Amino acid sequence: MKSERSVGIDCLRAISIIWVLLYHFVPVQAFNRGTFGVLLFFIISGYCIAFSVETSQTAWHFSAKRLGRLLPALIVCGLLTTLFKNLMPELVEHGREVKWVHYVYTLIALPTLNVLQANYNLPDGAYWSLQIEFQFYFFCFLTMALGLKQRLLALLCAMTVFRTLTTSTDYYTSNDFFPFFIAGVSVAALVRGRTGKGIAGILVAFAVELYHLKFNVKQPSVPIEMYRSLLLWSGTAAVYLAARYDHVLPRSFRALAFIGVISYPLYLLHQDVGNMILRWAQIGRDTTSDLLVRTFVLPAFLAAIAWLVYAFVEKPTIKPLTVLIADPLAWFRQWRPQGSDRGYPAAERSGEIARQ
């Protein structure tokens, strides 16, 4: 069952978040392309979401699983970031300020793709990738709502190619990141034994990325260059190997996988809060001790906070929140006194929904 965690995939999540942390905190040339860690996240997301779509009963059920997975940590981490910024504004980088109303609206804007088209500041600069993720989820939702979930990969490829060919190279969009989602969905097809579809999808992803490279498509978030294309190719291979040969990984990899387990709250917390901590502690960028703090101490401290969020918020609330969103009536029935709803095993139904 793909509902169980994969050590291999969690190890790749760990590599991704470590890559991003080093990029943001360690001023060393070797880490200056740390945003590529986000691109690896996108490939992993495409792989995992493909299975989520396949096991979802309806489009709404799919959305409930996504919201149940993402909202608990987003609410808490966004709250902590906004609180710290408002309590210690002198530590906030200029332009990174956030008002409480913006935090609240972020929780609405991200899942709805900013349906109100309001101007707002994200609690943390790293949240830009969530805007891309939710656009991918929305496409999956529409595909399922139209009864075409078996055609997800083909439609994703067609939409991406169409938007790529009809958009000016000087006008950047979220579409510029969709080859990475396509690659992940294609890997899922390969793992499922759908070799032809998987190979075709990977070829489309690579071709679109090469088109971006050939025609110098502008993308300020992650500039399109040969290194980005290499990341797409190597990341696709890494996700396939992690998924296909997960069972051969030695137990020692579980320590790395643990970082992958807490990678989502760690990602949400790390950037602005981490930089505020560095300013508060007056950690520079030049001495050996400064580099040690930036490389090991600060990431470990942030990981400890992320673990607390995972252990006390994310892990215990994902399934109940998924059930609540997917079927509110079933969620409320499970709290009725025993025997008050004879003939309807609400608790069993709730558990079944949560496991999807």
Side-chain angles (χ1 to χ4, degrees), residues 153 157 182-183 186-187 190 197-207 236:
L153 179 56
C157 290
I182 292 174
S186 300
V187 170
L190 290 177
K197 289 183 179 180
I199 292 176
I202 289 173
L203 290 177
V204 170
F206 290 0
T236 301

Side-chain angles (χ1 to χ4, degrees), residues 59-189:
W60 183 247
H61 184 204
F62 167 78
S63 294
K65 291 194 296 184
R66 289 297 86 214
L67 293 174
R69 171 71 178 86
L70 297 180
L71 282 183
L74 179 63
I75 291 171
V76 173
C77 293
L79 176 66
L80 291 174
T81 302
T82 305
L83 178 63
F84 293 156
K85 286 187 173 184
N86 281 274
L87 288 177
M88 297 171 285
E90 70 279 2
L91 299 177
V92 181
E93 181 183 345
H94 179 67
R96 297 281 199 179
E97 304 86 358
V98 61
K99 299 178 181 179
W100 282 106
V101 66
H102 290 174
Y103 157 68
V104 174
Y105 184 67
T106 295
L107 304 179
I108 301 170
L110 288 177
T112 64
L113 307 185
N114 194 11
V115 65
L116 300 179
Q117 293 299 301
N119 292 321
Y120 70 105
N121 293 329
L122 293 165
D124 189 287
Y127 286 22
W128 72 267
S129 64
L130 291 181
Q131 296 174 320
I132 308 297
E133 286 274 354
F134 274 107
Q135 290 181 46
F136 173 53
Y137 301 158
F138 183 68
F139 179 85
C140 295
F141 172 86
L142 286 179
T143 300
M144 294 191 67
L146 294 171
L148 298 171
K149 77 175 185 178
Q150 300 301 327
R151 300 286 184 268
L152 173 64
L153 179 56
L155 292 174
L156 185 62
C157 290
M159 183 274 292
T160 303
V161 170
F162 176 78
R163 288 188 66 191
T164 299
L165 295 178
T166 57
T167 302
S168 169
T169 57
D170 293 323
Y171 184 75
Y172 52 88
T173 70
S174 61
N175 185 72
D176 302 335
F177 298 102
F178 270 59
F180 296 87
F181 294 119
I182 292 174
V185 176
S186 300
V187 170

Side-chain angles (χ1 to χ4, degrees), residues 2 6-13 15 39-48 51 180-199 202 206 231-249:
K2 288 296 173 183
S6 163
V7 173
I9 294 299
D10 277 335
C11 284
L12 287 183
R13 286 192 178 99
I15 292 171
L39 301 182
L40 182 54
F41 271 127
F42 288 160
I43 302 175
I44 296 169
S45 178
Y47 170 78
C48 295
F51 289 108
F180 296 87
F181 294 119
I182 292 174
V185 176
S186 300
V187 170
L190 290 177
V191 172
R192 283 295 200 198
R194 299 161 190 162
T195 307
K197 289 183 179 180
I199 292 176
I202 289 173
F206 290 0
L231 187 280
L232 174 62
W233 305 336
S234 59
T236 301
V239 171
Y240 175 78
L241 292 174
R244 183 70 176 80
Y245 300 103
D246 178 75
H247 60 284
V248 303
L249 291 176

